[in-house]
Amino acid sequence: MSRPWLRTGRQLAPVLAFVGGLTAGCAAPAHQPAAAGPSGTGVAAVPADWAYPSTPPAVGRRGMVVTTDTLATTVGVEILRAGGNAVDAAIAVQFALAVTHPQAGNIGGGGFMIVRTADDTRAALDFRERAPRTSSRDMYLDEAGAVTDRSWTGHLAAGVPGSVAGMEAAHQRFGTLPWETLLEPAIRLAEGFPMTGELHGALQGGRQRLASFKPSADVFLPGGEPVAPGVPFAQPDLARTLRAIASGGAEAFYRGWIADSLVAEMTRGEGLIRHEDLAGYEAVWRDPVVVEYRGREIISMPPPSSGGVTMSQMLQIVEGFDLAEEGWHSADAIHLMVEAMRRAYADRNHYLGDPDHVDMPIDHLTSSSHADSLRTSIDLDRASPSEAVGPAPAESSETTHFSIVDGDGNAVAVTTTINGYFGSAVTVRGAGFLLNNEMDDFSAKPGSPNAFGLVQGEANAIQPGKRMLSSMTPTIVVAPDGRTELVTGTPGGSTIITIVFQMVTNQIDFRLPVQTSVNAPRFHHQHLPDAIVVEQGGLDPAVLAELERRGHEVRIRSRLGDVQTIYVAPDGKLYGAADPRLLGFAAGY
């Protein structure tokens, strides 16, 4: 079978003349000038004092990489320049983020990947973590039946990691460059790079939790403090681990000395992951969720991500309204979108879980008839109390997303996480990588809110071998002319789905320029708690007052998400829009 996404990669001269530049503190490629509105003609009316005014996107024709981290973006671009395709670049970026962005980038966590190739092959890769074999439904409850914090910090919070298996599965199916080549940039970075201001600030924020575990403190807080910005930061144990993975593949991680180190760490801290859990882990290729919306196809993740199904419902509900006519960020448009969010989240929280363990009415949930039924229940002038909507019985913002498009038109969207800020805060002694705290994404007590306010049902209760429900929503939009039009995604825990929903409507309904869309204020509703969350200073006070008049409670948050997006113009030009909220970086060529 012909595979037009394959390209004959030139051998990198070891990819890494350029990493020498990185470790010496390379200069970031400059954004090139671009038209103000490459993705449309809409002009967003944001408050004059909004913290993130629109700026020019990065521009390229042969490739584009957008991540939350300058060094990782640079790694991805260099892989593309060396002849790799979008999947090759994604694998290299995933491993680089484990080094330079350890608060979310990882080899000790998991995530999801959406691929659309130049010949329109669509694929969804599930490398979500799994519950250990000896986990149990009530493992995080105390004697009185109350939920404890043991699912958040420490060894017991960790699920079986999936990232290494996921990257190997992606490489086996779509990769072109040698596996070892794709890990080489991360290895060189682990040997030392100048501490960035962003990572230094993150380490200061996570200092208390990291200091609770000696292996974490030894790596990230030498002498009790993180390395100062600009000072070389080396992670020799992580470099050794990455070298083993480079030479031995996923087998080295799940069965070799790395697995021995992980299990020994679990034993020391009374965690549950054992050799059988690691040896039995597999990444899974699944069929993407695809929904048509105003002439486009939206491709996103199926369960155990709730993203594709839930966003599909939101889009189909609002498709019955003319959002553009209502006006971007008008009270009318926000009211309609929030009511769609409320109803979709009610279904999400009740029905969705791991498809290998739970029967779910996916066809019904994503049907136009179900959307029609939900739409007719919306009062155009009043908020619907969440208690009256659906069968009411998170995931942290420290996830990260990256988007990549190569010169042949192959596109990849990846959202990856260790859940909380630096995951469980536990570093595997001798192996140098942090473990996730994804067990908190289960319903520790169905019907009770988790750390992020999500009230979930029995479908997401803890069960051995089960994958915890996620909100991650890596998404690709296909234009009516058949080209990939948008590649997008974000971290943000329970807000992920609604943020990506807004990226799609900003693009299709309101025709905002891509960088304007990324920078623009956001809002969120997740059924329970029954409130609209809006970014501070993002909406006109008169709009907020009108929403409150209609019965909505409004809560203010400093920041929602960290969107990394690529827009592909009809002429093939690539526009990369990085989110300024966390100083993301886009680069193309």
Side-chain angles (χ1 to χ4, degrees), residues 280-353:
Y281 184 88
E282 292 183 353
V284 180
W285 291 102
R286 303 189 187 277
D287 293 330
V289 170
V290 181
V291 60
E292 291 190 9
Y293 181 68
R294 305 200 199 277
R296 270 80 165 179
E297 284 187 296
I298 317 299
I299 306 170
S300 195
M301 276 304 301
S305 167
S306 62
V309 171
T310 308
M311 182 172 62
S312 170
Q313 289 184 271
M314 295 175 190
L315 290 169
Q316 290 187 89
I317 291 170
V318 300
E319 193 168 20
F321 304 107
D322 189 341
L323 293 182
E325 180 69 22
E326 302 293 350
W328 184 78
H329 277 191
S330 68
D332 287 340
I334 292 173
H335 172 74
L336 294 173
M337 293 172 74
V338 162
E339 291 302 312
M341 294 173 184
R342 183 197 311 274
R343 286 155 175 78
Y345 260 88
D347 281 351
R348 177 238 189 241
N349 297 341
H350 180 75
Y351 290 111
L352 299 185

Side-chain angles (χ1 to χ4, degrees), residues 42 56 72 81 109 147 168 186 193 222 252-253 261 265 270 282 320 324 403 408 480 494 505 541:
R81 285 183 179 275
V147 178
E168 184 173 83
F193 66 92
F253 184 87
S261 300
E265 188 63 49
E270 299 182 354
E282 292 183 353
S403 297
D408 291 336
S494 58
T505 56

Side-chain angles (χ1 to χ4, degrees), residues 199-529:
L199 178 54
H200 183 268
L203 289 169
Q204 288 285 22
R207 179 177 167 186
Q208 184 174 355
R209 293 177 73 234
L210 291 168
S212 300
F213 303 96
K214 188 177 185 304
S216 297
D218 289 345
V219 173
F220 298 109
L221 306 170
E225 297 284 345
V227 170
V231 173
F233 174 50
Q235 301 169 74
D237 287 343
L238 180 56
R240 176 175 173 243
T241 293
L242 292 170
R243 288 190 202 99
I245 296 170
S247 61
E251 180 82 5
F253 184 87
Y254 291 96
R255 295 179 184 270
W257 68 262
I258 303 171
D260 293 340
S261 300
L262 198 162
V263 171
E265 188 63 49
M266 287 286 104
T267 302
R268 276 190 293 272
E270 299 182 354
L272 299 183
I273 300 173
R274 295 294 182 266
H275 284 99
E276 294 84 355
D277 297 305
L278 295 167
Y281 184 88
E282 292 183 353
V284 180
W285 291 102
R286 303 189 187 277
D287 293 330
V289 170
V290 181
V291 60
E292 291 190 9
Y293 181 68
R294 305 200 199 277
R296 270 80 165 179
E297 284 187 296
I298 317 299
I299 306 170
S300 195
M301 276 304 301
S305 167
S306 62
V309 171
T310 308
M311 182 172 62
S312 170
Q313 289 184 271
M314 295 175 190
L315 290 169
Q316 290 187 89
I317 291 170
V318 300
E319 193 168 20
F321 304 107
D322 189 341
L323 293 182
E325 180 69 22
E326 302 293 350
W328 184 78
H329 277 191
S330 68
D332 287 340
I334 292 173
H335 172 74
L336 294 173
M337 293 172 74
V338 162
E339 291 302 312
M341 294 173 184
R342 183 197 311 274
R343 286 155 175 78
Y345 260 88
D347 281 351
R348 177 238 189 241
N349 297 341
H350 180 75
Y351 290 111
L352 299 185
D354 182 350
D356 298 330
H357 290 258
V358 178
D359 289 328
M360 294 170 285
I362 301 297
D363 289 344
H364 170 68
L365 294 175
T366 57
S367 68
S368 59
S369 60
H370 184 54
D372 291 345
S373 175
L374 295 175
R375 188 185 311 110
T376 58
S377 69
I378 294 175
D379 185 326
L380 299 184
D381 194 52
R382 295 295 300 172
S384 304
S386 285
E387 290 77 4
V389 173
E395 179 173 352
S396 162
S397 61
E398 292 317 313
T399 301
T400 190
H401 177 86
F402 53 93
S403 297
I404 301 175
V405 176
D406 65 30
D408 291 336
N410 305 304
V412 179
V414 178
T415 312
T416 182
T417 187
I418 48 174
N419 196 31
Y421 212 55
F422 298 100
S424 64
V426 173
T427 296
V428 176
R429 186 174 303 177
F433 63 91
L434 284 156
L435 289 170
N436 66 83
N437 59 349
E438 294 292 358
M439 294 296 286
D440 187 72
D441 275 352
F442 281 118
S443 300
K445 185 177 182 180
S448 297
N450 72 357
F452 302 95
L454 281 174
V455 179
Q456 304 174 95
E458 290 288 345
N460 194 38
I462 300 169
Q463 186 177 343
K466 191 177 185 180
R467 299 173 197 249
M468 56 291 291
L469 189 63
S470 171
S471 297
M472 290 183 276
T473 316
T475 296
I476 293 174
V477 176
V478 182
D481 62 10
R483 79 183 189 282
T484 289
E485 180 176 6
L486 203 70
V487 184
T488 191
T490 184
S494 58
T495 70
I496 289 174
I497 307 169
T498 58
I499 293 171
V500 178
F501 169 52
Q502 288 167 81
M503 288 301 300
V504 173
T505 56
N506 284 350
Q507 172 73 22
I508 297 173
D509 292 276
F510 302 112
R511 303 189 66 218
L512 300 188
V514 64
Q515 191 71 59
T516 301
S517 180
V518 167
N519 291 22
R522 299 167 186 149
F523 54 92
H524 167 74
H525 198 291
Q526 63 184 43
H527 184 245
L528 292 174

Side-chain angles (χ1 to χ4, degrees), residues 48-311:
D49 59 350
W50 175 235
Y52 309 109
S54 189
T55 53
V59 184
R61 281 201 174 271
R62 298 177 61 189
M64 181 65 64
V65 180
V66 192
T67 87
T68 195
D69 178 80
T70 300
L71 296 176
T73 294
T74 306
V75 165
V77 171
E78 292 303 321
I79 292 294
L80 294 179
R81 285 183 179 275
N85 65 18
V87 173
D88 291 322
I91 294 165
V93 166
Q94 172 77 30
F95 284 110
L97 286 168
V99 181
T100 63
H101 191 70
Q103 58 267 47
N106 67 85
I107 60 173
F112 301 105
M113 175 186 289
I114 292 289
V115 179
R116 184 184 186 235
T117 66
D119 70 346
D120 199 31
T121 297
R122 294 110 178 265
L125 179 59
D126 169 7
F127 55 102
R128 183 69 160 153
E129 302 89 337
R130 296 174 64 185
R133 294 181 311 112
T134 55
S135 58
S136 59
R137 185 182 188 279
D138 299 329
M139 61 187 286
Y140 298 119
L141 305 184
D142 63 18
E143 293 180 357
V147 178
T148 69
D149 65 356
R150 289 176 294 179
S151 67
W152 189 249
T153 297
H155 299 70
L156 197 63
V160 182
S163 290
V164 177
M167 294 306 99
E168 184 173 83
H171 185 257
Q172 289 174 344
R173 183 170 178 183
F174 293 113
T176 64
L177 293 181
W179 173 255
E180 298 91 336
T181 296
L182 304 181
L183 275 89
E184 187 65 19
I187 294 169
R188 297 294 178 87
L189 289 166
E191 290 171 345
F193 66 92
M195 174 64 71
T196 64
E198 293 77 21
L199 178 54
H200 183 268
L203 289 169
Q204 288 285 22
R207 179 177 167 186
Q208 184 174 355
R209 293 177 73 234
L210 291 168
S212 300
F213 303 96
K214 188 177 185 304
S216 297
D218 289 345
V219 173
F220 298 109
L221 306 170
E225 297 284 345
V227 170
V231 173
F233 174 50
Q235 301 169 74
D237 287 343
L238 180 56
R240 176 175 173 243
T241 293
L242 292 170
R243 288 190 202 99
I245 296 170
S247 61
E251 180 82 5
F253 184 87
Y254 291 96
R255 295 179 184 270
W257 68 262
I258 303 171
D260 293 340
S261 300
L262 198 162
V263 171
E265 188 63 49
M266 287 286 104
T267 302
R268 276 190 293 272
E270 299 182 354
L272 299 183
I273 300 173
R274 295 294 182 266
H275 284 99
E276 294 84 355
D277 297 305
L278 295 167
Y281 184 88
E282 292 183 353
V284 180
W285 291 102
R286 303 189 187 277
D287 293 330
V289 170
V290 181
V291 60
E292 291 190 9
Y293 181 68
R294 305 200 199 277
R296 270 80 165 179
E297 284 187 296
I298 317 299
I299 306 170
S300 195
M301 276 304 301
S305 167
S306 62
V309 171
T310 308
M311 182 172 62

